[in-house]
Amino acid sequence: MDWYRNRNLKEGHKRCPEEYLDKLELRKYAENTVKTYVHHFETFINYYSHIKPEVITEIEIRNYLQVLTREGRSTSYLNQAVNSIKFYFEVVMGMPNRFYKIERPIKHKQLPKVLSKKEVLFLIDHTNNLKHRCIVSLLYSAGLRRSELLHLKLEDIDSKRMLILVKDAKGNKDRMTVLSPTLLKELRTYYKQYRPKVFLFEGPKQKAYTASSVLKLISMAAKRAGIYKKVTPHMLRHSFATHLIEDGIDIRHIQLLLGHSSTKTTEIYTHVAETSFNGIKDLLS
């Protein structure tokens, strides 16, 4: 939590109450979740800077959410705002289920955006150096989230069992995923060349590689590869799952590799897999 407590803020800007941070810390919420909750709750209490947070009413909360809606904020943004507010009143202030009547926006069920296998390999071939190549290859071949890749440590790579240990993933769960034999060869060469000390991929001063750096290197590789759609780290995870379905891997196995709590979440990839459409006859022929 030091990153939050040591921030320099402009004069008059309200900080999250200390007890809000304490609850997040005690519940061991993931760093990204903490940042999201703090950002949204701070934005909320500064919108009502003239009112003490503990006396803000349901009417004011609803009015605030209407403002966000009119600003064109996404469904995800609105739900995160609601979660951060509910956390304060229900968890920090001990008022369980106080705001059940607060409306949540309906989630849009969007299909995952994926790359073809050819596009993924083309993307890997157009990375700038060995380090970047290993990052993109690992995101795809192990189905990792970007945050999971950034927190990987050297000891998490089990070359004897050809597995990768993913610690404290989404939902504070550990899981195992596959280590590609092709990638292992490149990782060994990468290790000899870059000599990381703690994290598998390190930036300056042996700190973990940054999320923005991963996003940038993938975007640049996509441009060099002539892939004109917007390519993101998570698109590689989507592609991993989709390609496994196309290869006939059981969906329960894919669920475990991705760390999903239910196969219902994993089933979305059947909607974009080529094998779901290959048997359909051409009606125009």
Side-chain angles (χ1 to χ4, degrees):
M1 293 289 186
D2 291 341
W3 61 269
Y4 172 78
R5 293 185 171 100
N6 297 331
R7 284 181 309 157
N8 293 319
L9 298 173
K10 63 182 180 181
E11 189 176 348
H13 186 89
K14 281 187 178 180
R15 291 179 181 268
C16 265
E18 189 69 23
E19 56 267 29
Y20 193 100
L21 287 177
D22 290 342
K23 286 290 185 181
L24 289 169
E25 198 165 17
L26 287 169
R27 290 192 168 211
K28 297 189 72 174
Y29 276 32
E31 185 178 348
N32 285 342
T33 305
V34 171
K35 287 183 177 180
T36 298
Y37 272 51
V38 169
H39 163 74
H40 281 285
F41 190 68
E42 227 175 49
T43 304
F44 171 66
I45 61 176
N46 279 282
Y47 182 81
Y48 289 115
S49 58
H50 58 292
I51 308 175
K52 291 182 178 179
E54 62 268 23
V55 297
I56 292 175
T57 67
E58 190 171 317
I59 293 171
E60 279 133 4
I61 295 171
R62 187 173 280 106
N63 289 341
Y64 173 72
L65 295 173
Q66 285 179 329
V67 169
L68 295 183
T69 301
R70 288 166 187 160
E71 289 177 352
R73 299 292 186 175
S74 68
T75 298
S76 174
Y77 189 98
L78 286 164
N79 276 315
Q80 288 171 349
V82 172
N83 289 341
S84 72
I85 295 166
K86 283 171 67 66
F87 184 85
Y88 174 71
F89 287 103
E90 296 177 5
V91 179
V92 179
M93 299 297 294
M95 302 175 181
N97 308 331
R98 184 180 176 187
F99 297 112
Y100 262 162
K101 294 181 181 179
I102 292 295
E103 296 84 359
R104 286 181 180 270
I106 298 171
K107 287 186 178 181
H108 299 289
K109 293 185 178 180
Q110 294 182 326
L111 291 176
K113 295 177 182 177
V114 302
L115 298 169
S116 68
K117 291 181 184 178
K118 185 177 179 181
E119 285 176 319
V120 172
L121 296 176
F122 213 43
L123 180 72
I124 293 169
D125 286 341
H126 284 81
T127 48
N128 217 20
N129 54 50
L130 179 59
K131 184 177 187 178
H132 293 178
R133 183 182 178 90
C134 287
I135 287 172
V136 176
S137 298
L138 191 50
L139 284 168
Y140 170 66
S141 66
L144 298 179
R145 299 178 179 92
R146 176 172 55 177
S147 60
E148 294 169 351
L149 174 125
L150 295 174
H151 287 94
L152 279 180
K153 295 185 177 179
L154 297 174
E155 64 264 26
D156 297 331
I157 307 299
D158 187 345
S159 58
K160 291 182 180 178
R161 299 175 64 208
M162 296 305 292
L163 294 171
I164 299 169
L165 173 60
V166 183
K167 299 175 186 172
D168 295 325
K170 192 173 181 179
N172 291 329
K173 296 179 292 187
D174 291 355
R175 75 174 190 279
M176 305 296 293
T177 187
V178 290
L179 174 60
S180 159
T182 302
L183 176 59
L184 178 59
K185 294 177 184 177
E186 295 194 327
L187 282 175
R188 282 172 171 159
T189 305
Y190 156 78
Y191 178 79
K192 291 175 184 176
Q193 183 175 330
Y194 286 85
R195 293 291 176 181
K197 297 291 187 291
V198 180
F199 295 99
L200 183 59
F201 300 108
E202 296 178 339
K205 298 180 181 179
Q206 297 177 1
K207 292 185 177 180
Y209 211 57
T210 64
S212 59
S213 295
V214 174
L215 188 63
K216 185 177 179 181
L217 76 86
I218 289 174
S219 178
M220 296 301 292
K223 286 181 181 178
R224 286 192 293 269
I227 302 171
Y228 296 107
K229 64 185 85 173
K230 183 180 179 182
V231 182
T232 65
H234 214 67
M235 192 182 289
L236 294 169
R237 176 175 159 89
H238 290 326
S239 302
F240 163 82
T242 305
H243 298 164
L244 288 182
I245 286 174
E246 291 173 348
D247 287 342
I249 304 299
D250 186 87
I251 199 163
R252 287 184 293 275
H253 191 189
I254 300 171
Q255 173 201 350
L256 293 173
L257 295 174
L258 292 173
H260 289 163
S261 299
S262 168
T263 53
K264 288 184 178 180
T265 308
T266 317
E267 283 170 2
I268 188 68
Y269 297 108
T270 62
H271 297 192
V272 292
E274 287 183 359
T275 45
S276 298
F277 308 96
N278 286 344
I280 298 174
K281 183 181 177 182
D282 181 2
L283 297 178
L284 297 176
S285 63

Coordinates of all heavy atoms in Angstrom, one line a residue, residues 121 124-125 130 133-134 137-138 141 162 179-189:
L121 N 2.2 -16.4 -34.8 CA 3.5 -16.8 -35.1 C 4.2 -15.6 -35.9 O 5.4 -15.4 -35.7 CB 3.6 -18.1 -36.0 CG 3.1 -19.3 -35.3 CD1 3.1 -20.5 -36.2 CD2 4.0 -19.6 -34.1
I124 N 5.1 -13.0 -33.3 CA 6.3 -13.4 -32.5 C 7.6 -13.2 -33.4 O 8.6 -12.7 -32.9 CB 6.2 -14.9 -32.1 CG1 5.1 -15.1 -31.1 CG2 7.6 -15.4 -31.6 CD1 4.7 -16.5 -30.8
D125 N 7.5 -13.5 -34.7 CA 8.7 -13.3 -35.5 C 9.0 -11.9 -35.8 O 10.1 -11.6 -36.2 CB 8.4 -14.0 -36.9 CG 8.4 -15.5 -36.8 OD1 9.0 -16.0 -35.9 OD2 7.9 -16.2 -37.7
L130 N 15.1 -10.8 -28.3 CA 14.9 -12.1 -27.7 C 13.9 -12.0 -26.5 O 13.0 -12.8 -26.3 CB 16.2 -12.8 -27.3 CG 16.0 -14.2 -26.6 CD1 15.3 -15.2 -27.5 CD2 17.4 -14.7 -26.2
R133 N 10.5 -11.4 -27.7 CA 10.0 -12.7 -28.3 C 9.5 -13.6 -27.2 O 8.5 -14.3 -27.4 CB 11.1 -13.3 -29.1 CG 10.7 -14.6 -29.9 CD 11.9 -15.1 -30.6 NE 11.5 -16.4 -31.3 CZ 11.0 -16.5 -32.5 NH1 10.9 -15.3 -33.2 NH2 10.7 -17.6 -33.1
C134 N 10.3 -13.8 -26.1 CA 9.9 -14.7 -25.1 C 8.6 -14.2 -24.4 O 7.8 -15.0 -24.0 CB 11.1 -14.8 -24.0 SG 12.5 -15.7 -24.6
S137 N 5.7 -15.0 -26.7 CA 5.5 -16.4 -26.8 C 4.9 -17.0 -25.5 O 4.1 -17.9 -25.6 CB 6.9 -17.1 -27.1 OG 7.4 -16.7 -28.3
L138 N 5.3 -16.5 -24.4 CA 4.9 -17.0 -23.1 C 3.4 -16.6 -22.8 O 2.6 -17.4 -22.4 CB 5.7 -16.5 -22.0 CG 5.6 -17.1 -20.6 CD1 5.6 -18.6 -20.6 CD2 6.6 -16.6 -19.6
S141 N 1.6 -19.1 -25.4 CA 1.7 -20.5 -25.2 C 1.2 -21.0 -23.9 O 1.0 -22.2 -23.7 CB 3.1 -21.0 -25.5 OG 4.0 -20.4 -24.5
M162 N 7.8 -29.5 -17.1 CA 7.3 -28.7 -18.2 C 6.0 -28.0 -17.8 O 5.0 -28.0 -18.5 CB 7.1 -29.6 -19.4 CG 8.4 -30.1 -20.0 SD 9.7 -28.9 -20.3 CE 8.9 -28.0 -21.7
L179 N 4.2 -25.4 -20.1 CA 5.5 -24.7 -20.6 C 5.8 -25.3 -21.9 O 6.0 -26.5 -22.1 CB 6.6 -25.0 -19.6 CG 8.0 -24.5 -20.0 CD1 8.0 -23.0 -20.3 CD2 9.0 -24.9 -19.0
S180 N 5.9 -24.5 -22.9 CA 6.2 -25.0 -24.3 C 7.6 -25.4 -24.4 O 8.5 -24.7 -24.0 CB 5.9 -23.8 -25.3 OG 6.6 -24.0 -26.5
P181 N 7.9 -26.6 -24.9 CA 9.3 -27.1 -25.2 C 10.0 -26.1 -26.1 O 11.2 -25.9 -25.9 CB 9.1 -28.5 -25.8 CG 7.8 -28.9 -25.4 CD 6.9 -27.7 -25.3
T182 N 9.4 -25.6 -27.1 CA 10.0 -24.6 -28.0 C 10.4 -23.4 -27.3 O 11.5 -22.9 -27.4 CB 9.0 -24.3 -29.2 OG1 8.6 -25.5 -29.8 CG2 9.7 -23.3 -30.1
L183 N 9.5 -22.9 -26.4 CA 9.8 -21.7 -25.6 C 10.9 -21.9 -24.6 O 11.7 -21.0 -24.4 CB 8.5 -21.2 -24.9 CG 8.7 -20.0 -24.0 CD1 9.2 -18.8 -24.8 CD2 7.4 -19.7 -23.3
L184 N 10.9 -23.1 -24.0 CA 12.0 -23.4 -23.0 C 13.4 -23.2 -23.6 O 14.2 -22.6 -22.9 CB 11.8 -24.8 -22.5 CG 12.8 -25.3 -21.4 CD1 12.8 -24.4 -20.2 CD2 12.6 -26.7 -21.0
K185 N 13.6 -23.6 -24.8 CA 14.9 -23.5 -25.4 C 15.2 -22.0 -25.5 O 16.4 -21.6 -25.2 CB 14.9 -24.1 -26.8 CG 14.8 -25.6 -26.8 CD 14.7 -26.1 -28.2 CE 14.5 -27.6 -28.3 NZ 14.3 -28.2 -29.6
E186 N 14.3 -21.2 -25.9 CA 14.5 -19.7 -26.0 C 14.7 -19.1 -24.7 O 15.5 -18.1 -24.5 CB 13.4 -19.1 -26.8 CG 13.3 -19.6 -28.2 CD 12.4 -18.7 -29.1 OE1 11.4 -18.2 -28.6 OE2 12.7 -18.6 -30.3
L187 N 13.9 -19.6 -23.7 CA 14.1 -19.0 -22.3 C 15.5 -19.3 -21.8 O 16.0 -18.4 -21.0 CB 13.0 -19.6 -21.4 CG 11.6 -19.0 -21.5 CD1 10.7 -19.8 -20.6 CD2 11.6 -17.5 -21.2
R188 N 16.0 -20.4 -22.1 CA 17.4 -20.7 -21.6 C 18.4 -19.8 -22.2 O 19.3 -19.3 -21.6 CB 17.7 -22.2 -21.9 CG 17.0 -23.1 -20.9 CD 17.2 -24.6 -21.3 NE 16.7 -25.5 -20.2 CZ 16.4 -26.7 -20.3 NH1 16.4 -27.3 -21.6 NH2 16.0 -27.4 -19.3
T189 N 18.2 -19.5 -23.5 CA 19.1 -18.6 -24.2 C 18.9 -17.2 -23.7 O 19.9 -16.4 -23.4 CB 18.8 -18.6 -25.7 OG1 18.9 -19.9 -26.2 CG2 19.8 -17.7 -26.5

